Structure formats: C-alpha cells, structure tokens
Amino acid sequence: MERISISLPERLLEEFDRILKEKGYVSRSEGIRDAIRSYILEHSFVSQLSGDIAGTISIIYDHDAANVLERLTDAQHDFAEVIDSSLHIHLDRHHCLEVIVVRGDSNKIKQLLNRLKSVKGVKYAKLTTNVTEIPE
Ligand code: NI
C-alpha cells in the first residue's frame, strides 16, 4: 500500500464522511479506495464507448463562477453537431442543472464531456447512455 496525503475543502470532506457513515464504512481509507475504484470504472465505461451513441450529459454548476455560462455556451456551440437539445433547471440560489441530450459520434461526445468537465464552476458532469452502435 502507498500512503498519500490530500487537501480537500472542509465541506466536501464532511459530506464524504456523512455518506461513509450512512453506508456503514468504518474506515475513511476504505471509502476513498472505493470512490477511486468508481472513478476508474466510470472512466473505463466512457472510454470503451465507440461508434454512434445517444444519451445525456448532466452537469451541475455554480452559476456565480466567473464566465461559467459563457464557457458552457461556447462549448455547446462548438459541439452543436452532437447536441439535440438541452434542459436547464435552477436548482437553488447558486446551482444549475443542465441536461444535454447528445447523439452521434461517441468520440465527439467524449470530447464535449471533457470540455464541460474542464469548465471552472462545473461540480458534476456525467454521461449516461444505453444506446451504442445505433443500427442502420
Ligand atoms: Ni439556472
């Protein structure tokens, strides 16, 4: 085993510990190991996608973050060819949920996902798809 030390915002750690308690974890290290495993699995799920797909990208972001709206709009315009439509929900005073319906080349969709994830202020971004290799 390797030992690492990481810095986290206090509220993020509190929330993580709350979830660990709810799930019955006795060790924070085990919780972090499982969280990293999920992260890796999610990454492998996305990276194995190929061909044409249809699905949704959900993002949650802080609309007060600098230029976040402009950057998200720019990204969606750059990838308009794989975006069918989007839905915007004002979650609370600061957070917005956007559900983007995507369809087309999986590589383009992955690029879009990464672009959205890289925008500062985006706290969550997930691609969901059940439809791969749409038949002719
Ligand atoms: Ni909003």
Side-chain angles (χ1 to χ4, degrees):
M1 290 255 188
E2 298 272 342
R3 277 186 159 271
I4 57 164
S5 121
I6 56 171
S7 308
L8 293 175
E10 199 182 330
R11 287 202 44 202
L12 184 64
L13 184 59
E14 276 170 19
E15 182 69 2
F16 187 69
D17 282 343
R18 192 187 61 72
I19 294 167
L20 292 185
K21 206 175 159 192
E22 199 178 294
K23 292 185 169 228
Y25 280 85
V26 286
S27 138
R28 188 190 263 164
S29 287
E30 189 47 37
I32 290 170
R33 284 192 285 273
D34 279 0
I36 293 174
R37 286 184 195 109
S38 299
Y39 185 85
I40 292 170
L41 279 177
E42 190 184 317
H43 176 80
S44 355
F45 166 74
V46 171
S47 51
Q48 55 84 31
L49 293 171
S50 65
D52 282 350
I53 60 170
T56 57
I57 293 176
S58 302
I59 57 174
I60 293 174
Y61 61 91
D62 179 348
H63 77 188
D64 294 323
N67 303 319
V68 70
L69 294 172
E70 197 188 331
R71 285 183 181 149
L72 290 175
T73 305
D74 273 354
Q76 293 188 54
H77 278 268
D78 287 347
F79 287 87
E81 67 186 282
V82 291
I83 297 177
D84 261 16
S85 63
S86 69
L87 173 71
H88 184 109
I89 297 130
H90 311 299
L91 287 179
D92 60 28
R93 197 100 191 92
H94 305 284
H95 294 102
C96 303
L97 164 67
E98 211 153 295
V99 180
I100 303 163
V101 179
V102 290
R103 187 171 63 166
D105 178 40
S106 55
N107 285 319
K108 276 262 167 237
I109 292 168
K110 286 182 228 177
Q111 283 169 27
L112 169 63
L113 177 68
N114 289 333
R115 171 91 172 265
L116 296 169
K117 276 182 177 169
S118 74
V119 173
K120 206 164 185 223
V122 172
K123 296 181 167 176
Y124 171 88
K126 192 179 174 76
L127 168 64
T128 305
T129 176
N130 297 317
V131 186
T132 56
E133 296 291 347
I134 304 162
E136 285 300 314

